[in-house]
Amino acid sequence: METIGGGDMLIDDYDPIDEKPDVAIITPDESVGEPEPEPLADDYEDMKARVLPEVPDLEIEDEAVSTWSIENYRSLAKKEHGPVLQCGGHPWRVLFFPYGNNVDYASFYLEQGYEEKPPEGWYACVQFVLLLWNKNDPSIYVHHTANHRFNADEGDWGFTRFAEIRKLFASQWEDKGRPMVENDAVNVTAYVRVYKDPTGVLWHNFINYDSKKETGMVGLKNQGATCYLNSLLQSLYFTNAFRKAVYQIPTEAESERKKSAWALQRLFYQLQTSEHAVSTQELTVSFGWETKHIFEQQDVQELSRILMERMEERMKGTDAENALAKMFVGKMKTYISCINVDYESSRIEDFWDIQLNVSGNKSLDDSFRDYVQVETMDGENKYFAEGFGLQDARKGVIFESFPQVLHLQLKRFEYDVNRDAMMKVNDRYEFPEFFDASPYLSHDADKNEPYIYELHGVLVHSGDFNAGHYYAYLKPTKDGHFYKFDDDRVTRATKKEALEENFGGDYANTVNGNAGVRNPYTRTLSTKRSMSAYMLVYIRQSRLENILLPVEEADTPSHIAKQLEEEHALIERRRKEREEQHLYLHCWVVTEENFKTHQGFDLTSWEMDPKTNSGPKSYRTLRTSTVADFTKTVADDKNSSPEQMRFWVMVNRQNKTVRPDQALYDPTMTIDEAFTKFGSREKSFRLWLELGKAGDDGKVIWPELLPLGGSNNNPILVFIKYFDLEAQTLTGVGHIYIKKHSKVSDMVPMIFDIMGWPYGPSAQPPIALYEEIKNSMIEPMKSKSTMQQAEIQDGDIVCFQKMLPDKEMSAISQKGGYIDAREFYDYLLNLVRIRFSPKVSKDLDEENFELALSRKMTYDQFSAKVGEHLKVDPTHIRFSTVNATTGKVKAVVKRNPNQSLYQITSPQFSSYGSSNQRSDALYYEVMEISLSELETKKLVKVTWVSEGLTKEVVFLKVYLWAWRLIEKQETFDVLIAKNGVVGDILPQLQKKAKLDEETIQNTRMYVAHGCKIYKEIMDDYAVASIQDSWTLFAERIPDEERNSGEDDKAIYAFHFDKEPSRPHSVPFKFIVKPGEVFKDTKERLSKRIGIKGKQFEKIKFALVQRSVYSKPSYLNDDDVLSEIASFSDDLLGVDHLNKSRGTYNKGDSIFIR
């Protein structure tokens, strides 16, 4: 199907597939199921009821029916219009292409019937049917149905392939006995129904949709998978009291910039003032998030809590202190109350939000009743009351108060034990617009003010656990409407869309008996809604005025507004510059001052250096301005006289240097002409500024430059550099003019004059002269040669140094200095800046530093420089390379006296892994022993397992509160002499793990492979035999084992998940008692592995042969392990879920720095 834009005659490149299925819905002729008797085409009411069913939940504004009698079909023009009918206050008509719109089908469309353009902003939401029928037999007809949002840009919509022309004129239409077009005539009836648009976006295609214009609000851009963040931020933004409190955090100081409070203030202010969707990139950068965090969906509740904590920390000591607690914090009491005696144990705690079970509950009230449900403790589960002994008691939770803003987290994601996976709970769960929380308060709670809450926000997840999308429905004002905030798009929403459509559960009905509705994220069919609320925001009705108070311009931080205004002005200026770029030329001006402060090759560095002012300044100059105009501009900037200035054009030489080459003599020449004539093939114009000295008459006397064809002894412009031996610096000192037939030695008195040194045989030590040809070619100059013989030309650079006595030269060399300019040039050529960071950071800024080093330095040389900076012995410093992607340690650098810094840091020479390595950074660590001594040691990693094997903890990670088994273990690095024994490890382990003497005396060590014990190692076992691939464990021998009898035997045990080939956790050694039934054995196993109660009941035990492919033989309570186990061949298998797998730990925990 295709539309015709704006009444054009034809549509090119017809595509029969509807490109906007979300805008127009086509219903085919064939209906599903056995239909009732077919209505006739001239029975308009019955036919309308049959072919134009009403759209549920939409209010009809108007309906109309019109029939156009088409005569002389074969004589019609290429394009025809039917009569105009009025519906909904708008004119409509049928647009007809009798011979097809570039297809072999008759084409029919409904179009707006305005003679001129429709009114400004006009649109109409229309459901329509076009029905073609035989004039003589109304039982012969064909029809098509569509919905469409008509507007000025899409003023017509319909069916390019309505009916095949060949079939229309066939002798009979679909075995009806008569043709459709009979006697060259046929009728077409238009059924038009206009619907009211409650949200302003009904059937909208969102092309050129403007959220700000339509709603007055803007959305947030999605960076990748940050829709969950966007929905939370919009919710907090429209909690106006929260926004106002954030604005009160002081962030004017420069140090506060790039921190989360400053970034959140900027984000909120942009949401207030921007015309377009706002980016959250600045905020996530302030959080310390990297790209991987941007593409990981995290738990909204966890993010909300951390963000609240950070903001609350920043509000301490400000006008907003305790503002968040007053807004979001309520109190709940956990209690155990005895039934028969007057005793109660209770604890009152603060809460920021409430997690409610969805599974097993049908409504919000059901969840609250479930939350405060009372458990009776009686029988074997009696409560021990101090002073009363064991007593029957009631245990539960009750609320003492609810906050002004109530955040309810609905547990839509739960762990399914049977599927061994996290699943989304899509059950229907109803929540009201108004909620009375008072039934869940304790009797002692203050109920003077009603606890009636009004729904303010519904945060929605659409999809399943593995794939989905987040958006929010929010009501920004007390008496306003709900709006849908879907990343960068904001649209008006109905109350039903915000509430009922997010209850979850089954769809009310499916179209045409389909098996379900396709989930857009999983591509699977489901009868259950994939979109459902996972977080609700309620505001106490009596406090609405306080929470949704207006946020005025005066409430926003003035410095934030000023910063953003300046940034927008800069962006606008740059945009204008880009548009006018072809009119301007960037002229880089190098001055004598730049040359004198520059240390390096050539006259200057072409990068701005604010520290040294050695870089040239750029002037954005109109191409049509003259050299004289440009000279005046620079003179005004330099506070100098234009008459004292002249410019030399700098060109790129073949040896890749940039030197002055040609003076600009003609002041009337335009900058563009000068650039075209003299400039290099660069995008910018490079110039050297020469300042002349005025004579007694006030005029500048420039060195006499004779015209071509005159004397060939004209002066040459030469730049002079000084290599200072004592300071170990190389800087420019000025320039001279010397005639080309002059000798090289004639430069010496000129140089002394520049330096202010007295010239004479004994006044100063002699100097050596070198020509800087290029950065890798520094040649000594012969004093008796002429400048012409030395091939010196305009713009060349001559470097000089003092020739000190040998004793002074030797002293400089012993300090690591260079005594020859050529050596110093080589140092500069190989100069690199290396960033050193501590391998184990203590968050001390001074620990991170940069050093300028030569790439030719050996390990010992650059290690000495680092040691000098850190004030530590360089022989105790060990370095590691840096992973270029993660920024983490890549590999330890082995000390090699013959290896250079360049070979260590450059990937192509590196032996420390692949090329994914930073060449400008190293980690360092200060060792307790020297590297030479370290080479005689072996690093052994020992994992100390304490207090049994496991414990039960509560943790939060990605939608889940759950118990998880975590080994009580800690790993230590121990350095042992390579010729030592395992017994030498124990004293160091005792010190690092802080173990007492008794514990270390009763410690054993064992090796594990694949989470199974490989062997125990004795104290006399050689350290050199410990393989790097081994996992070495140490544990205190349990009392049961130390006190075991002569008949007791030991068996190695390991944990696995369903299959022995899926081992996990820490293996252990277990004592088997002779004749003990396994029911009793399990009690001892429970103590050994530290798991009790219901979780222990889920564990199964089996005997597993050491063979890799063996099947487990599960044990029953009446089995006797000592009789059926083969202790030389069997392992005891502990079968339970591995909850420490990556499924439950995907990605890093969410954080905000």
Side-chain angles (χ1 to χ4, degrees), residues 234-293:
Q234 291 283 18
S235 171
L236 294 174
Y237 171 79
F238 284 108
T239 307
N240 294 0
F242 176 83
R243 190 194 334 168
K244 201 167 183 177
V246 169
Y247 282 155
Q248 290 177 298
I249 299 173
T251 58
E252 297 92 335
E254 192 73 23
S255 60
E256 295 299 325
R257 298 191 178 190
K258 306 306 178 188
K259 291 187 177 179
S260 53
W262 176 82
L264 190 59
Q265 286 180 346
R266 285 170 60 91
L267 180 75
F268 281 179
Y269 185 79
Q270 289 178 86
L271 283 173
Q272 266 180 229
T273 59
S274 178
E275 296 295 318
H276 307 287
V278 179
S279 172
T280 57
Q281 185 174 5
E282 198 170 64
L283 183 67
T284 54
V285 168
S286 76
F287 288 172
W289 292 3
E290 301 173 0
T291 303
K292 63 178 181 180
H293 301 112

XYZ file of all heavy atoms in Angstrom, residues 234-293:
501
model
N 13.677 10.715 35.005
C 12.464 11.495 34.747
C 11.544 11.466 35.969
O 10.927 12.480 36.327
C 11.732 10.937 33.515
C 12.438 11.157 32.188
C 12.316 12.578 31.659
O 11.999 13.510 32.389
N 12.536 12.746 30.362
N 11.461 10.310 36.627
C 10.633 10.203 37.826
C 11.133 11.139 38.924
O 10.349 11.833 39.569
C 10.630 8.753 38.320
O 10.016 8.648 39.583
N 12.448 11.179 39.127
C 13.020 12.046 40.155
C 12.907 13.518 39.760
O 12.670 14.384 40.615
C 14.483 11.672 40.391
C 14.726 10.285 40.989
C 16.219 9.980 41.044
C 14.106 10.174 42.369
N 13.077 13.794 38.471
C 12.969 15.184 38.005
C 11.584 15.752 38.281
O 11.443 16.901 38.729
C 13.297 15.240 36.510
C 13.019 16.583 35.868
C 13.905 17.637 36.016
C 11.858 16.795 35.119
C 13.657 18.878 35.433
C 11.597 18.014 34.542
C 12.494 19.051 34.698
O 12.240 20.282 34.127
N 10.541 14.956 38.025
C 9.178 15.447 38.222
C 8.698 15.275 39.666
O 7.558 15.593 39.971
C 8.225 14.764 37.241
C 8.359 15.306 35.845
C 8.951 14.554 34.844
C 7.928 16.589 35.547
C 9.088 15.062 33.559
C 8.065 17.108 34.269
C 8.653 16.351 33.272
N 9.570 14.775 40.534
C 9.348 14.921 41.973
C 9.987 16.259 42.320
O 11.147 16.340 42.705
C 9.992 13.749 42.745
O 9.537 12.512 42.192
C 9.630 13.808 44.220
N 9.232 17.324 42.139
C 9.795 18.676 42.131
C 10.593 19.008 43.383
O 11.595 19.730 43.320
C 8.684 19.700 41.935
C 8.044 19.599 40.569
O 8.428 18.754 39.755
N 7.060 20.426 40.297
N 10.149 18.526 44.537
C 10.874 18.809 45.766
C 12.276 18.198 45.723
O 13.224 18.781 46.267
C 10.096 18.274 46.971
N 12.422 17.035 45.101
C 13.743 16.420 44.934
C 14.597 17.293 44.020
O 15.776 17.555 44.306
C 13.601 15.023 44.337
C 14.915 14.346 44.038
C 15.601 13.697 45.029
C 15.455 14.386 42.763
C 16.821 13.071 44.770
C 16.671 13.781 42.485
C 17.355 13.114 43.491
N 14.029 17.745 42.915
C 14.783 18.597 41.989
C 15.249 19.870 42.693
O 16.393 20.301 42.552
C 13.899 18.958 40.795
C 14.652 19.617 39.676
C 13.770 20.280 38.637
N 12.447 19.728 38.497
C 11.480 20.332 37.794
N 11.713 21.501 37.203
N 10.289 19.790 37.703
N 14.368 20.449 43.486
C 14.702 21.689 44.192
C 15.818 21.451 45.211
O 16.712 22.285 45.376
C 13.453 22.229 44.881
C 13.512 23.717 45.217
C 12.136 24.229 45.592
C 12.187 25.731 45.863
N 10.841 26.269 46.159
N 15.772 20.301 45.883
C 16.811 19.976 46.858
C 18.159 19.784 46.171
O 19.198 20.216 46.674
C 16.422 18.721 47.624
N 18.166 19.125 44.999
C 19.413 18.927 44.251
C 19.996 20.265 43.836
O 21.218 20.468 43.881
C 19.166 18.021 43.027
C 20.376 18.016 42.094
C 18.845 16.604 43.466
N 19.126 21.203 43.453
C 19.604 22.535 43.057
C 20.296 23.268 44.207
O 21.093 24.178 43.970
C 18.434 23.385 42.562
C 17.990 23.073 41.144
C 16.687 23.344 40.724
C 18.869 22.537 40.211
C 16.268 23.076 39.437
C 18.454 22.256 38.918
C 17.155 22.538 38.536
O 16.753 22.274 37.253
N 20.003 22.891 45.442
C 20.570 23.591 46.595
C 21.963 23.094 46.961
O 22.609 23.671 47.828
C 19.639 23.433 47.807
C 18.331 24.208 47.655
C 17.404 23.984 48.837
O 16.974 22.870 49.093
N 17.096 25.054 49.552
N 22.445 22.044 46.308
C 23.804 21.553 46.581
C 24.804 22.545 46.004
O 24.724 22.899 44.826
C 24.016 20.165 45.949
C 23.025 19.162 46.535
C 25.442 19.692 46.172
C 23.058 17.812 45.856
N 25.754 23.018 46.794
C 26.745 23.973 46.259
C 27.722 23.287 45.306
O 28.413 22.342 45.701
C 27.457 24.486 47.518
C 27.243 23.434 48.553
C 25.935 22.777 48.240
N 27.758 23.738 44.083
C 28.668 23.156 43.078
C 29.411 24.239 42.302
O 29.889 23.999 41.197
C 27.882 22.266 42.085
O 26.868 23.059 41.451
C 27.244 21.083 42.779
N 29.512 25.464 42.893
C 30.171 26.547 42.162
C 31.665 26.329 42.006
O 32.260 26.762 41.022
C 29.946 27.894 42.887
C 28.495 28.332 42.966
C 27.846 27.850 44.258
O 28.329 26.840 44.815
O 26.871 28.472 44.701
N 32.292 25.655 42.983
C 33.741 25.473 42.947
C 34.158 24.655 41.737
O 33.451 23.738 41.306
C 34.226 24.801 44.232
N 35.317 24.998 41.201
C 35.831 24.297 40.024
C 36.002 22.807 40.299
O 35.795 21.970 39.425
C 37.181 24.909 39.628
C 37.696 24.480 38.269
C 36.939 25.117 37.111
O 36.320 26.186 37.311
O 36.953 24.536 36.022
N 36.370 22.478 41.558
C 36.607 21.082 41.911
C 35.335 20.247 41.867
O 35.380 19.026 41.808
C 37.223 20.989 43.313
O 36.338 21.556 44.277
N 34.178 20.913 41.922
C 32.916 20.181 41.926
C 32.495 19.758 40.521
O 31.632 18.902 40.361
C 31.807 21.045 42.537
C 32.020 21.373 44.001
C 32.075 20.129 44.869
O 31.348 19.165 44.560
O 32.849 20.105 45.836
N 33.071 20.382 39.540
C 32.691 20.050 38.166
C 33.070 18.611 37.850
O 34.077 18.105 38.336
C 33.363 21.010 37.178
C 32.915 22.449 37.396
C 33.360 23.334 36.260
N 32.882 24.703 36.466
C 32.963 25.653 35.549
N 33.471 25.385 34.365
N 32.518 26.869 35.805
N 32.274 18.004 37.025
C 32.422 16.603 36.632
C 32.038 15.650 37.757
O 32.218 14.447 37.617
C 33.846 16.293 36.147
C 34.324 17.208 35.036
C 33.381 17.243 33.851
C 33.826 18.195 32.765
N 32.816 18.360 31.714
N 31.495 16.161 38.877
C 30.983 15.283 39.917
C 29.487 15.087 39.710
O 28.831 15.863 39.025
C 31.283 15.865 41.310
C 32.766 15.843 41.649
C 33.017 16.261 43.082
C 34.505 16.166 43.428
N 34.773 16.596 44.819
N 28.943 14.036 40.342
C 27.570 13.624 40.040
C 26.542 14.694 40.396
O 25.565 14.876 39.672
C 27.249 12.309 40.755
O 27.515 12.404 42.133
N 26.728 15.419 41.506
C 25.754 16.456 41.880
C 25.732 17.568 40.848
O 24.660 18.033 40.433
C 26.085 17.014 43.266
N 26.908 17.997 40.424
C 27.011 19.044 39.401
C 26.380 18.583 38.086
O 25.622 19.323 37.452
C 28.493 19.383 39.208
C 28.803 20.368 38.128
C 28.734 21.719 38.196
C 29.257 20.062 36.795
N 29.118 22.273 37.003
C 29.447 21.291 36.130
C 29.518 18.881 36.120
C 29.884 21.354 34.811
C 29.960 18.949 34.807
C 30.142 20.170 34.169
N 26.670 17.344 37.695
C 26.124 16.816 36.439
C 24.611 16.663 36.522
O 23.895 16.917 35.543
C 26.776 15.477 36.107
N 24.098 16.251 37.689
C 22.649 16.086 37.833
C 21.951 17.442 37.800
O 20.869 17.569 37.227
C 22.334 15.352 39.143
C 20.886 14.904 39.332
C 20.459 13.954 38.213
C 20.694 14.223 40.683
N 22.554 18.452 38.394
C 21.993 19.809 38.316
C 21.907 20.265 36.863
O 20.892 20.822 36.437
C 22.861 20.778 39.121
C 22.715 20.657 40.622
C 23.610 21.637 41.357
O 24.523 22.229 40.782
N 23.345 21.811 42.648
N 22.958 20.044 36.112
C 22.968 20.447 34.703
C 21.908 19.687 33.909
O 21.221 20.260 33.060
C 24.359 20.207 34.103
C 25.397 21.226 34.535
C 26.799 20.807 34.117
N 26.944 20.661 32.682
C 27.332 21.624 31.858
N 27.611 22.829 32.337
N 27.465 21.405 30.564
N 21.791 18.393 34.191
C 20.789 17.589 33.489
C 19.384 18.106 33.789
O 18.566 18.285 32.871
C 20.922 16.130 33.906
C 19.937 15.169 33.236
C 20.352 14.905 31.802
C 19.840 13.853 33.992
N 19.079 18.347 35.055
C 17.755 18.831 35.435
C 17.486 20.204 34.815
O 16.376 20.468 34.337
C 17.635 18.911 36.956
C 17.366 17.580 37.617
C 17.257 17.472 38.996
C 17.216 16.425 36.862
C 17.002 16.254 39.615
C 16.965 15.188 37.455
C 16.856 15.121 38.839
N 18.480 21.071 34.810
C 18.276 22.406 34.240
C 18.026 22.311 32.734
O 17.175 23.040 32.195
C 19.493 23.290 34.513
C 19.296 24.721 34.057
C 18.555 25.618 34.820
C 19.829 25.162 32.851
C 18.355 26.920 34.395
C 19.639 26.458 32.412
C 18.898 27.342 33.193
O 18.692 28.631 32.762
N 18.733 21.412 32.075
C 18.511 21.250 30.630
C 17.126 20.667 30.351
O 16.485 21.050 29.361
C 19.605 20.359 30.043
C 20.967 21.021 29.992
C 22.038 20.102 29.453
O 22.245 19.991 28.238
N 22.735 19.432 30.340
N 16.654 19.754 31.208
C 15.286 19.242 31.048
C 14.274 20.364 31.199
O 13.213 20.338 30.574
C 15.016 18.142 32.069
C 15.628 16.764 31.780
C 15.425 15.818 32.957
C 15.041 16.152 30.518
N 14.598 21.359 32.013
C 13.701 22.505 32.213
C 13.691 23.445 31.024
O 12.648 24.007 30.682
C 14.158 23.315 33.444
C 13.465 22.941 34.725
C 13.954 23.775 35.889
O 14.286 23.224 36.907
N 14.000 25.068 35.760
N 14.864 23.624 30.407
C 15.005 24.722 29.444
C 15.217 24.285 28.005
O 15.005 25.087 27.086
C 16.192 25.609 29.856
O 17.391 24.805 29.902
C 15.954 26.207 31.238
N 15.633 23.046 27.785
C 15.999 22.624 26.427
C 14.768 22.457 25.539
O 13.678 22.129 26.013
C 16.788 21.319 26.477
O 17.098 20.872 25.173
N 14.974 22.635 24.254
C 13.929 22.427 23.256
C 13.975 21.012 22.680
O 13.053 20.608 21.986
C 14.083 23.440 22.109
C 13.893 24.893 22.516
C 12.468 25.173 22.980
O 11.516 24.674 22.346
O 12.309 25.876 24.000
N 15.040 20.299 22.985
C 15.222 18.970 22.410
C 15.627 17.989 23.503
O 15.945 18.383 24.637
C 16.289 19.006 21.317
C 16.047 20.050 20.273
N 15.058 19.922 19.311
C 16.640 21.255 20.051
C 15.072 20.992 18.545
N 16.018 21.822 18.969
N 15.617 16.698 23.166
C 15.981 15.659 24.129
C 17.394 15.895 24.651
O 18.283 16.351 23.928
C 15.879 14.281 23.471
N 17.600 15.566 25.917
C 18.851 15.858 26.613
C 19.678 14.581 26.731
O 19.136 13.500 26.972
C 18.563 16.452 28.011
C 19.861 16.744 28.756
C 17.727 17.725 27.881
N 20.980 14.708 26.589
C 21.885 13.563 26.718
C 22.230 13.339 28.193
O 22.394 14.298 28.952
C 23.166 13.813 25.928
O 24.123 12.803 26.204
N 22.369 12.053 28.565
C 22.790 11.706 29.925
C 24.274 11.362 29.977
O 24.762 10.901 31.012
C 21.979 10.499 30.446
O 22.160 9.398 29.544
C 20.510 10.826 30.550
N 24.985 11.587 28.896
C 26.389 11.179 28.835
C 27.222 11.888 29.896
O 28.069 11.269 30.550
C 26.962 11.456 27.449
C 28.391 10.949 27.282
C 28.900 11.092 25.868
O 28.237 11.653 25.008
N 30.090 10.586 25.608
N 26.980 13.163 30.084
C 27.729 13.924 31.086
C 27.510 13.338 32.480
O 28.442 13.238 33.284
C 27.271 15.389 31.043
C 28.213 16.367 31.693
C 27.798 17.794 31.396
O 26.697 18.202 31.835
O 28.566 18.506 30.729
N 26.285 12.907 32.760
C 25.966 12.332 34.066
C 26.648 10.982 34.248
O 27.251 10.722 35.299
C 24.451 12.192 34.226
C 23.966 11.658 35.571
C 24.258 12.665 36.674
C 22.462 11.348 35.530
N 26.570 10.108 33.248
C 27.175 8.782 33.394
C 28.700 8.875 33.474
O 29.333 8.068 34.157
C 26.768 7.853 32.234
O 27.077 8.485 30.974
C 25.276 7.567 32.279
N 29.286 9.863 32.802
C 30.731 10.077 32.937
C 31.060 10.480 34.367
O 32.040 10.020 34.954
C 31.224 11.146 31.935
C 32.643 11.587 32.268
C 31.177 10.608 30.514
N 30.221 11.341 34.954
C 30.444 11.762 36.342
C 30.275 10.591 37.305
O 30.881 10.572 38.376
C 29.485 12.896 36.722
O 28.175 12.410 36.959
N 29.465 9.609 36.930
C 29.318 8.402 37.758
C 30.590 7.552 37.717
O 30.774 6.687 38.567
C 28.156 7.543 37.250
C 26.788 8.105 37.527
C 25.667 7.503 36.982
C 26.608 9.228 38.323
C 24.392 7.994 37.229
C 25.334 9.738 38.573
C 24.231 9.114 38.024
N 31.419 7.771 36.710
C 32.596 6.930 36.527
C 32.321 5.730 35.657
O 33.122 4.799 35.605
N 31.202 5.746 34.925
C 30.843 4.601 34.088
C 31.648 4.603 32.801
O 31.931 5.652 32.226
C 29.354 4.623 33.759
C 28.466 4.376 34.943
C 28.852 4.202 36.238
C 27.045 4.300 34.939
N 27.768 4.019 37.043
C 26.635 4.071 36.283
C 26.076 4.390 33.952
C 25.303 3.947 36.634
C 24.746 4.269 34.305
C 24.369 4.044 35.637
N 31.964 3.403 32.351
C 32.638 3.220 31.075
C 31.634 2.705 30.051
O 30.456 2.531 30.353
C 33.805 2.244 31.234
C 34.842 2.699 32.254
C 35.904 1.644 32.522
O 35.830 0.562 31.906
O 36.786 1.906 33.356
N 32.118 2.455 28.842
C 31.225 2.012 27.764
C 30.478 0.743 28.136
O 29.289 0.587 27.843
C 32.037 1.783 26.476
O 32.713 2.990 26.137
C 31.123 1.384 25.328
N 31.169 -0.192 28.818
C 30.519 -1.458 29.161
C 29.331 -1.234 30.095
O 28.344 -1.960 30.056
C 31.512 -2.422 29.802
C 32.091 -1.945 31.127
C 33.039 -2.986 31.707
C 33.605 -2.531 33.042
N 34.520 -3.532 33.624
N 29.402 -0.207 30.961
C 28.289 0.065 31.862
C 27.103 0.665 31.110
O 25.954 0.465 31.497
C 28.730 1.025 32.972
C 29.868 0.504 33.797
N 31.126 1.073 33.773
C 29.946 -0.553 34.633
C 31.917 0.397 34.589
N 31.232 -0.597 35.120
